[in-house]
């Protein structure tokens, strides 16, 4: 557990040090409290008289406050109090205890006014009357900036969260393109073995075998292997995700194992229902496992173990979201200054949707307010503040104060309603890769300018033969180069996929019913167990009988409900 927290915080700390707002404050159109009151006759950000809101806090084990800030006194708490919103802290626990603490508080009847819900809990909370209807509050108090943010995904998340015409929460949007898994590979190992980037699964097998038996690091020791995979959670949304292998053969599971997609006839089907494609994918994985090219230790590996394996130069190929190459790249460079981690498109598996990646909906979590709270509009007003300060800071000082500088200000991690810029990755890649190519920095915002500076520092060190990944500037330069600057960066690959529309999108137009949610965990476990058994030696044909069991245990109802909802939506239109 400790290792998992540490690697998670490494990523969070890395991104927080360079996390920009949604836009450049040079073009900021932020609405101040006074402007809102004068133009609209209502306060979109606070109250004339003080109100108190109960909150629960949770932080990772090694979370550190910047400067003199603490849970009670920080830039965000000060901001809320400036607007007459006074948070009352009910509890402050480790993040691993957050869900159980909230559940216990709800059972006692004394729970936070402001809290976060998962997509699986949201409908239950609505049905139980735990969360307030904020439909009217959103229509009345949502700022133009908040409305614009909520339309970043075309309004998909708001539609999904609308239940019987009413809204009970506001989503923390995540860009699904940033979270879809791609392939990462050691380019220096390919170069050492005179191999090209694999474009087909046969070429991937060849590369994985060579990485296992061809001494790709040239140290004369048999201490490397081809592919690392998360056997603890096959369908993860982190490093070690196995979804890309299945996607390459036209099968889709998503992070919950319940991905629903449209077939050629427009009918919604389960993404794992492509039996022939899955058997081809499982045959490949079985061969890789028997060869040792897929490490036999994958059964006990989680995402953080793969961070470690990739970073210490043990494995040469892994899958994961856009950020999954950053920490491995810098850690590998600490051991071998010539280490070069790159992202590449998914190899062609010969499936019906060759190499296409699955895109889920854009909801990361849902910000809710208790039905017991006398001021349900407070949720909307606080979200207005989050969008204004994180996405539209008026100047550099405000940016540092609410986004963070890791010195004086903790930034966005201290916000009670966290959110993230929707198009940050795409915008940063376009601006920063262009700046590296042209040498010009005009038009870069604060964080982009800093990131380009780090990358230039690293590239100059490479050219002069003085690479030192332990130097802060070069450390940041390597990670940003892997994410944005390298011609084979993660976002270069994602952008190419976007241009080609190499994605299969979720067909879910609503959240699953409580009945489907109840069986989803069982179905995911069944799917995982079946796949692992086949990879490690059971007959590939067992997948056919598994499909019958999957449908019988509740899968059929999930598919039927999705098709019924689609028909109902069509009638309403």
């Amino acid at each position: 557990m400790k290792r998992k927290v540490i690697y998670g915080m490494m990523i969070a700390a890395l991104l927080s040090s360079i996390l920009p707002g949604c836009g450049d404050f040079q073009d900021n159109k932020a609405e101040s409290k006074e402007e809102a009151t004068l133009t609209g006759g209502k306060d979109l950000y606070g109250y004339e008289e003080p109100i108190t809101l109960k909150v629960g806090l949770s932080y990772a084990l090694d979370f550190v406050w910047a400067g003199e800030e603490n849970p009670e006194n920080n830039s965000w708490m000060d901001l809320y109090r400036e607007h007459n919103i006074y948070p009352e802290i009910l509890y402050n626990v480790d993040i691993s205890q957050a869900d159980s603490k909230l559940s216990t508080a709800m059972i006692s009847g004394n729970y936070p006014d402001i809290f976060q819900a998962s997509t699986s809990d949201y409908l239950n909370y609505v049905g139980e009357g735990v969360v307030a209807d904020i439909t009217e509050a959103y229509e009345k108090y949502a700022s133009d900036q908040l409305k614009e943010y909520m339309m970043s995904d075309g309004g998909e998340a708001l539609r999904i969260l609308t239940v019987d015409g009413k809204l009970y929460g506001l989503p923390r949007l995540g860009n699904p393109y940033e979270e879809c898994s791609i392939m990462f590979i050691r380019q220096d190992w390919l170069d050492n073995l005179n191999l090209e980037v694999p474009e087909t699964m046969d070429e991937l097998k060849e590369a994985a075998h060579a990485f296992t038996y061809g001494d790709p690091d040239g140290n004369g020791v048999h201490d490397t292997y081809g592919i690392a995979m998360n056997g603890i959670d096959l369908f993860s949304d982190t490093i070690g995700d196995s979804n890309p292998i299945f996607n390459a053969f036209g099968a889709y599971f998503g992070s919950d194992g319940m991905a629903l997609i449209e077939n050629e006839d427009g009918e919604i089907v389960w993404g794992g229902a492509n039996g022939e494609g899955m058997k081809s994918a499982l045959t490949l994985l079985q061969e890789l496992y028997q060869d040792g090219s897929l490490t036999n230790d994958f059964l006990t590996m989680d995402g953080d173990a793969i961070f470690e394996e990739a970073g210490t130069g043990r494995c040469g190929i892994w899958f994961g979201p856009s950020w999954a190459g950053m920490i491995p790249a810098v850690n590998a460079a600490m051991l071998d200054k010539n280490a070069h981690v790159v992202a590449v498109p998914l190899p062609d598996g010969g499936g019906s949707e060759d190499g296409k990646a699955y895109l889920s909906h854009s909801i990361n979590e849902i910000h809710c307010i208790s039905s017991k709270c006398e001021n349900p509009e407070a949720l909307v007003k606080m979200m207005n503040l989050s969008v204004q300060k994180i996405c539209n800071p008026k100047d550099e000082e405000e940016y540092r104060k609410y986004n963070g500088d890791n010195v004086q200000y903790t930034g966005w991690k201290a916000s009670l309603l966290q959110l993230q810029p929707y198009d940050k990755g795409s915008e940063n890649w376009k601006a920063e890769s262009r700046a590296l190519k042209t040498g010009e920095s005009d038009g870069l915002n604060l964080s982009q300018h800093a990131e380009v500076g780090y990358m230039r520092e690293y590239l100059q060190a490479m050219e002069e033969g003085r690479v030192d990944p332990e130097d802060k500037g070069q450390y940041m330069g390597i990670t940003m180069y892997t994410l944005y600057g390298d011609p084979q960066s993660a976002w270069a690959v994602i952008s190419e996929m976007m241009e080609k529309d190499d994605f299969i999108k979720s067909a879910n137009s609503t959240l699953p019913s409580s009945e489907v949610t109840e069986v989803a965990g069982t179905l995911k476990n069944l799917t995982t167990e079946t796949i692992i058994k086949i990879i490690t030696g059971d007959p590939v044909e067992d997948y056919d009988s598994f499909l019958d069991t999957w449908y019988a245990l509740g899968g059929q109802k999930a598919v039927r409900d999705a098709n019924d909802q689609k028909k109902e939506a069509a009638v309403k239109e």
Side-chain angles (χ1 to χ4, degrees), residues 27-265:
D27 300 318
N28 176 55
K29 299 178 181 178
E31 302 162 306
S32 69
K33 177 179 176 180
E34 292 75 13
E35 289 170 341
T37 301
L38 288 172
T39 58
K42 53 181 179 265
D43 189 344
L44 303 184
Y45 302 93
Y47 297 87
E48 291 186 8
E49 299 295 328
I51 69 164
T52 300
L53 293 177
K54 295 181 292 186
V55 300
L57 306 180
S58 60
Y59 304 103
L61 282 174
D62 56 351
F63 174 84
V64 177
W65 289 93
E68 298 181 358
E69 292 192 329
N70 57 55
E72 293 82 13
N73 295 291
N74 57 71
S75 60
W76 280 94
M77 287 297 194
D78 291 344
L79 178 68
Y80 299 137
R81 289 189 284 260
E82 287 172 11
H83 290 272
N84 272 332
I85 298 172
Y86 286 79
E88 175 190 336
I89 301 174
L90 288 184
Y91 55 80
N92 182 357
V93 299
D94 169 64
I95 196 168
S96 64
Q97 303 171 7
D99 290 343
S100 61
K101 187 65 176 179
L102 178 59
S103 297
T104 301
M106 285 185 172
I107 292 172
S108 73
N110 183 28
Y111 58 93
D113 291 313
I114 298 285
F115 57 92
Q116 284 67 45
S118 66
T119 54
S120 59
D121 288 332
Y122 179 71
L123 284 182
N124 290 335
Y125 290 158
V126 171
E128 295 167 1
V130 171
V131 292
D133 173 5
I134 61 166
T135 310
E136 183 178 342
Y138 183 77
E139 293 174 355
K140 185 176 181 179
Y141 291 103
S143 67
D144 289 344
Q145 290 173 350
L146 178 57
K147 291 175 182 177
E148 181 180 359
Y149 173 79
M150 289 300 167
M151 289 303 294
S152 298
D153 66 345
E156 176 192 43
L158 286 182
R159 286 194 297 271
I160 290 176
L161 296 183
T162 300
V163 181
D164 296 329
K166 297 180 179 180
L167 185 64
Y168 295 88
L170 295 175
R172 176 184 177 184
L173 298 179
N175 189 325
Y177 293 103
E178 292 185 1
E179 298 303 320
C180 76
S181 289
I182 55 179
M183 188 166 90
F184 292 89
I185 193 167
R186 287 286 296 267
Q187 179 65 54
D188 54 311
W189 287 11
L190 291 173
D191 294 341
N192 292 343
L193 298 171
N194 295 315
L195 294 173
E196 299 294 327
V197 169
E199 297 182 357
T200 67
M201 285 301 173
D202 285 339
E203 292 175 355
L204 179 63
K205 282 175 60 179
E206 179 185 0
H209 180 85
F211 283 4
T212 307
Y213 300 105
D215 191 22
D217 56 4
N219 67 355
V221 180
H222 181 57
D223 58 356
T224 60
Y225 61 86
I227 300 173
M229 200 163 72
N230 186 339
I232 301 296
D233 186 2
L234 285 179
F235 312 127
S236 65
D237 54 3
T238 184
I239 188 172
D241 184 15
S242 65
N243 270 300
I245 295 286
F246 303 123
N247 293 171
F249 291 90
Y252 303 90
F253 294 97
S255 61
D256 61 358
M258 294 289 290
L260 298 178
I261 63 175
E262 285 191 0
N263 64 14
E264 295 178 353
D265 299 323

Side-chain angles (χ1 to χ4, degrees), residues 551-572:
Y551 284 114
L553 290 180
Q556 186 62 57
K557 176 173 174 51
V559 174
R560 184 173 61 248
D561 286 355
N563 279 292
D564 289 344
Q565 290 164 357
K566 180 182 178 182
K567 291 176 183 177
E568 291 174 6
V571 170
K572 291 180 182 178

Side-chain angles (χ1 to χ4, degrees), residues 436 450-464 466-468 471-478:
L436 285 181
E451 290 167 12
V452 169
Y454 289 134
M455 286 188 278
R456 285 173 176 161
E457 184 176 343
Y458 162 63
L459 292 174
Q460 184 174 351
M462 280 281 290
E463 185 176 340
E464 296 174 358
R466 52 176 183 83
V467 172
D468 179 11
D471 173 80
K472 180 183 177 181
Q474 292 188 42
Y475 180 104
M476 296 294 293
I478 294 171

